[in-house]
Amino acid sequence: MPKTKPKPRKTPSSSPQQTSFHHPGSLLSVNDLALEDIGHVLKLASVLETEDPLKRMKRLFKRRVSLLFYESSTRTRTSFELAAKQLGADTVLVSALSSSIEKGESLKDTGITLRALGAECIILRHPNSGAPYVLSRATGLPILNAGDGMHEHPSQALLDLRTILQHVRGAKAAGPVSETTLKGVTVTICGDIFHSRVARSNMLLLPRLGARVVLCGPSALLPETAADAGPGITIERNFDQALQQSQVVMMLRIQAERLAGLNLDLDEYKLRYQANAERIAAHASKALIMHPGPIIRGLEMTSEVADGPQSAIAEQVRNGVAIRMALLVRALTAKGKTSR
Amino acid sequence: MKPILVRGGRLIDPSSGVDSPRDILLKDSRVAAVDAPGKLNSAIRQDGAEVIEAKGLVVAPGLVDIHVHLREPGQGHKETIATGTAAAAAGGFTTVCAMPNTTPVNDSPEITRWMQSPERNAQVRVFPIAAATRGSMGEALTEYGALKAAGAVAVTDDGKPILGDAIMRETLIAASRTGLPVIQHAEDTRMTGGCSMNAGALAFRLGLRGMPVEAESSLVERDIRLVAELKDARPHLHVAHLSTARALDAVRRARRNGLHVTCEVTPHHFVLNEEAVGEYHTHAKMNPPLRSETDRQAMIEGIIEGAVDALATDHAPHAAHEKEQEFERAPNGITGLETALGLAIVWLHEKHKLPLSRVLALLSTQPAAVLNLKGRGSLAVGSFADVVLFDPKKQWIFHAADSKSRSKNTPFDGWKLTGKVALTISEGRIVYRA
């Protein structure tokens, strides 16, 4: 089991003061992937998607994958599960409410237990930011982050990237990527940025391929400091102006209870930030409209837009299976246990 | 107890301004004599004194930590008074002031006395700091007179800051009448719900809710305003583990206005910044959180210019299983007693050229003065025989596994430090020998 190894350091710097060792097949943050790795994952996704099902079944035949879900999920869980099954792997689902987690078992012990039961890879969804790092340190297994708190949802960002590339590059979507692949592409992410792990993964990933990311939302859901999360990120509070610059628009789910807690007026929110047919026709008639789901129709997005010709929402879901197949193959075929 | 003659060392006593070769004789738990090298040798024959050769070592007042959590009563799985004070002795501390957030809260003379009972097997002197309000609930004051009589040296609600103006005013008046300082953990908890690190771009990036600088500075400013309003009562406000430039500025202004306001800074707040959180390392989770690099530098500046009265560790032991959790769920705090001197020497003396005598003043004489600990933090004749001997040049690696504390939650595991404690004497007893 790889262990946190102390490393003496005398000065504080931007690097973590303790170096942790994670399995090279892990995906905890989009920053774990070099551009080359991203290209590799995209290519593998395309290969696997069209591969003969029987041949594909042999890829991870009888390998053991655990899905550890502390939060509810439809898309992510199902697509990870489908991805694993299409590769021939055995999956076990452990969810917080029907396991010893309810009895107070820690994440560390849950991970150790799953490993003892033969898990070779754990897919984790957890309400706390950074939980996959805890699980990785505890088990040394490849961990796939399926969403941790407000931190990241890297597989979602990758499937979003695949979706964007299919529209920007068409057939070349599966090719290698560089820092100019998305040059000239502006992606607006609109809504509850503060609470969104999807937003964080996308705003960290897309600028690395040359995209401009514009964040849009009211200050209660989008603090100014979000623009400092990485390069290539700007804030535009006026949704119409953000739309006018954008080739891609990602809408995020709005949770009414959060708005209530923040004293935000829902009608006001819809007026300023809802993606509706008139607004899209007026300001972004050609843009690709995306949403990671679940959608609250009539709130952040109207049905006309969600089901309209510009919508890529169903494509995103389909891409989820391909990307997650690639991530599972990467997780279970990565060699050795070296430092990232 | 056999008298002890420490000879051949470089004696640094900030309380009397001495920094020269001196021998020192300890007798009946007190400093009996300090004299030029060789002059006290007669004590060997006359008093049968045990001789400790201190060649190459600094001989200084035993260090005084006015902010530790010894976890007893009630949380013995994290630390006991015996293990916490053993760690103190190993770190060169001979006096520690224990915070009241125990189980139950130390809000009574009975618990205050219980903590000082010989049965606790303390290795060094423990002074309890009592709760300012019953159960630290921020509603009704505890009995300051009785607590002081039982040995309490200050009042505080530490982790549960006193937010209400009226109750804080009452606290300041009653404490000043009793002659006790009021220690405030300055955090407006109305701004920090669910927060686990410093607010800013890094917290956003990590998806963690951040504690704003204002949560600290606004409460320090409020407390200072109350102290100013109560000028005639002359209350003493002590700001615990100050961590932000803004709060430090407020303390500076208060002092310029002649108010009795003091403050302490922890080693981790002048050594580390928020980047140490890294990949959600819970050994970088404490409250107040590690701040920005700007704030860290402001702590160093404040210490050097003299705006900071004391270094204090906020030694906060937690069991491994409590820290090996999701970042947001892990408890706040790190151990600090065994690394404080080494960190202070590296960061203040070596890097910032603060004279060793001033580093030692910040770790002994000044904290003792903040809490009126008579006879502590000094090697003047008549003071308690609390002495630390250390090699000021010796570099060593701190290994958490070797710590005397019951808990090992420190971000400094494996760090190279300078200044190794060789011997600690508490009230004339040798309590640690390297």
Side-chain angles (χ1 to χ4, degrees):
Chain A
M1 188 174 109
K3 226 184 137 219
T4 300
K5 208 178 168 192
K7 194 176 156 193
R9 271 193 346 94
K10 288 187 218 135
T11 50
S13 74
S14 56
S15 64
Q17 49 109 38
Q18 285 173 305
T19 309
S20 293
F21 293 85
H22 302 292
H23 192 284
S26 282
L27 182 61
L28 309 179
S29 158
V30 290
N31 286 344
D32 293 353
L33 299 172
L35 282 178
E36 198 190 337
D37 301 326
I38 295 167
H40 182 72
V41 167
L42 292 168
K43 180 151 184 270
L44 191 54
S46 295
V47 170
L48 293 169
E49 191 174 43
T50 53
E51 195 166 69
D52 170 59
L54 287 175
K55 191 179 162 202
R56 194 164 60 195
M57 287 287 280
K58 289 179 189 150
R59 290 251 184 192
L60 299 178
F61 189 68
K62 286 290 173 193
R63 302 292 298 271
R64 283 166 298 216
V65 173
S66 287
L67 295 115
L68 178 53
F69 274 63
Y70 284 74
E71 273 184 351
S72 56
S73 161
T74 304
R75 261 156 300 273
T76 306
R77 205 197 76 198
T78 310
S79 66
F80 262 119
E81 203 166 343
L82 282 173
K85 292 208 157 93
Q86 289 180 29
L87 294 163
D90 285 343
T91 61
V92 180
L93 171 70
V94 179
S95 60
L97 279 182
S98 57
S99 66
S100 288
I101 294 162
E102 227 186 354
K103 300 176 191 164
E105 187 164 39
S106 70
L107 178 57
K108 175 178 173 165
D109 283 321
T110 304
I112 290 171
T113 302
L114 291 178
R115 188 183 60 188
L117 288 168
E120 297 172 81
C121 168
I122 301 176
I123 297 158
L124 178 69
R125 158 72 57 100
H126 198 286
N128 288 125
S129 298
Y133 294 85
V134 177
L135 190 62
S136 172
R137 286 193 283 260
T139 63
L141 292 175
I143 305 297
L144 298 180
N145 180 359
D148 62 327
M150 312 189 315
H151 176 226
E152 282 212 42
H153 195 348
S155 64
Q156 177 73 40
L158 289 168
L159 71 88
D160 288 340
L161 171 63
R162 184 170 203 248
T163 308
I164 294 169
L165 287 174
Q166 283 169 339
H167 286 265
V168 174
R169 299 212 297 196
K172 288 194 298 175
V177 293
S178 72
E179 47 283 312
T180 57
T181 300
L182 290 177
K183 197 156 178 270
V185 176
T186 295
V187 180
T188 284
I189 307 177
C190 178
D192 185 356
I193 312 282
F194 180 67
H195 296 101
S196 175
R197 50 198 175 209
V198 175
R200 280 183 186 73
S201 282
N202 271 303
M203 73 174 82
L204 293 173
L205 176 68
L206 300 176
R208 290 173 58 204
L209 284 82
R212 256 184 82 224
V213 166
V214 176
L215 304 176
C216 184
S219 57
L221 302 178
L222 172 54
E224 284 295 326
T225 183
D228 304 324
I233 305 168
T234 52
I235 290 177
E236 169 56 68
R237 304 269 177 203
N238 184 312
F239 191 30
D240 293 345
Q241 284 181 15
L243 287 174
Q244 285 160 19
Q245 313 165 34
S246 300
Q247 287 73 47
V248 178
V249 180
M250 281 186 195
M251 301 304 295
L252 300 175
R253 178 170 61 111
I254 289 303
Q255 286 158 300
E257 69 278 11
R258 269 181 185 148
L259 292 187
L262 292 166
N263 261 339
L264 268 182
D265 184 80
L266 223 51
D267 289 326
E268 167 87 12
Y269 183 87
K270 286 193 249 183
L271 201 65
R272 295 184 58 186
Y273 301 105
Q274 185 184 61
N276 56 43
E278 301 74 47
R279 180 170 262 144
I280 296 299
H283 303 293
S285 59
K286 300 237 163 51
L288 191 66
I289 310 290
M290 301 171 70
H291 194 303
I295 309 173
I296 309 297
R297 288 182 185 236
L299 215 175
E300 70 268 13
M301 187 181 261
T302 60
S303 277
E304 288 77 16
V305 174
D307 304 330
Q310 289 169 253
S311 169
I313 295 169
E315 279 171 59
Q316 286 174 273
V317 177
R318 274 196 300 278
N319 280 330
V321 180
I323 286 290
R324 284 162 182 142
M325 280 196 288
L327 292 176
L328 280 163
V329 169
R330 175 179 174 270
L332 287 164
T333 56
K335 292 272 171 5
K337 291 180 181 180
T338 55
S339 173
R340 265 188 298 131
Chain B
M1 212 181 312
K2 212 172 167 186
I4 296 174
L5 174 67
V6 180
R7 65 180 185 189
R10 169 186 170 194
L11 189 133
I12 302 181
D13 178 16
S15 80
S16 53
V18 173
D19 182 353
S20 40
R22 286 279 185 282
D23 292 354
I24 180 168
L25 180 66
L26 312 173
K27 210 159 115 181
D28 301 327
S29 333
R30 298 277 176 167
V31 176
V34 177
D35 215 329
K39 295 259 186 186
L40 296 172
N41 283 344
S42 59
I44 304 169
R45 207 161 26 83
Q46 268 171 27
D47 303 314
E50 175 184 351
V51 176
I52 290 166
E53 301 292 352
K55 193 171 176 335
L57 301 179
V58 165
V59 179
L63 309 183
V64 176
D65 191 345
I66 57 176
H67 193 143
V68 302
H69 298 270
L70 296 180
R71 304 301 189 202
E72 262 193 321
Q75 299 154 19
H77 68 287
K78 296 175 193 266
E79 192 84 284
T80 63
I81 290 173
T83 58
T85 52
F93 288 91
T94 53
T95 300
V96 291
C97 300
M99 285 292 168
N101 63 336
T102 45
T103 316
V105 168
N106 176 19
D107 58 3
S108 71
E110 291 72 30
I111 298 174
T112 302
R113 274 192 285 268
W114 182 91
M115 290 171 69
Q116 299 167 91
S117 156
E119 288 165 39
R120 301 289 83 72
N121 196 20
Q123 300 301 300
V124 305
R125 180 56 55 185
V126 174
F127 290 112
I129 294 168
T133 67
R134 267 183 235 153
S136 287
M137 299 301 283
E139 284 157 15
L141 298 194
T142 51
E143 293 177 30
Y144 295 178
L147 288 164
K148 189 183 182 190
V153 293
V155 291
T156 185
D157 279 350
D158 194 36
K160 293 182 171 177
I162 306 172
L163 299 183
D165 285 9
I167 186 79
M168 187 59 180
R169 199 176 285 120
E170 269 184 64
T171 301
L172 288 166
I173 292 170
S176 118
R177 218 173 264 150
T178 324
L180 289 174
V182 175
I183 302 176
Q184 178 84 291
H185 161 119
E187 175 194 358
D188 188 335
T189 47
R190 290 163 296 200
M191 294 184 208
T192 57
C195 295
S196 52
M197 71 173 289
N198 186 42
L202 186 64
F204 177 84
R205 159 81 188 78
L206 291 172
L208 296 171
R209 290 167 202 273
M211 302 189 192
V213 159
E214 292 76 20
E216 175 174 281
S217 61
S218 68
L219 203 58
V220 171
E221 284 157 10
R222 191 282 310 256
D223 288 345
I224 288 171
R225 180 169 54 76
L226 295 179
V227 169
E229 284 169 17
L230 299 168
K231 218 168 177 168
D232 295 339
R234 238 190 121 58
H236 174 191
L237 172 75
H238 178 71
V239 182
H241 46 47
L242 186 136
S243 66
T244 63
R246 272 180 72 166
L248 186 58
D249 280 342
V251 170
R252 283 188 183 105
R253 282 196 302 276
R255 292 230 271 237
R256 273 202 296 278
N257 295 333
L259 302 176
H260 194 184
V261 176
T262 54
C263 68
E264 73 196 25
V265 169
T266 70
H268 49 272
H269 285 113
F270 67 76
V271 171
L272 298 174
N273 65 27
E274 59 189 354
E275 303 279 349
V277 171
E279 292 182 343
Y280 304 89
H281 293 295
T282 57
H283 288 173
K285 181 181 177 186
M286 62 284 286
N287 189 3
L290 296 173
R291 300 287 186 180
S292 67
E293 177 58 13
T294 312
D295 279 326
R296 185 191 73 82
Q297 284 173 9
M299 295 305 104
I300 297 259
E301 282 160 28
I303 290 166
I304 289 170
E305 83 176 45
V308 172
D309 297 272
L311 304 184
T313 66
D314 193 7
H315 177 82
H318 291 293
H321 72 268
E322 295 167 321
K323 276 292 196 180
E324 283 174 343
Q325 287 197 80
E326 296 86 329
F327 193 84
E328 290 162 293
R329 295 178 65 167
N332 287 309
I334 58 169
T335 59
L337 284 163
E338 289 159 275
T339 46
L341 177 65
L343 289 169
I345 290 177
V346 173
W347 287 81
L348 301 176
H349 178 57
E350 291 182 344
K351 282 190 202 299
H352 291 278
K353 308 298 168 213
L354 193 68
L356 208 47
S357 60
R358 286 211 44 213
V359 172
L360 292 169
L362 285 158
L363 282 165
S364 60
T365 312
Q366 290 176 208
V370 166
L371 294 192
N372 303 310
L373 308 176
K374 301 275 183 278
R376 311 283 168 181
S378 169
L379 291 180
V381 171
S383 305
F384 285 98
D386 289 348
V387 186
V388 59
L389 277 64
F390 65 94
D391 183 338
K393 298 228 160 62
K394 181 158 179 170
Q395 295 196 324
W396 61 292
I397 308 281
F398 172 69
H399 295 293
D402 301 337
S403 170
K404 307 278 184 204
S405 170
R406 178 155 288 181
S407 295
K408 318 294 176 195
N409 53 308
T410 165
F412 303 117
D413 189 19
W415 278 43
K416 191 195 273 181
L417 304 176
T418 310
K420 181 102 177 67
V421 175
L423 191 89
T424 307
I425 301 170
S426 168
E427 297 179 9
R429 284 180 309 120
I430 295 172
V431 290
Y432 174 78
R433 208 190 279 266

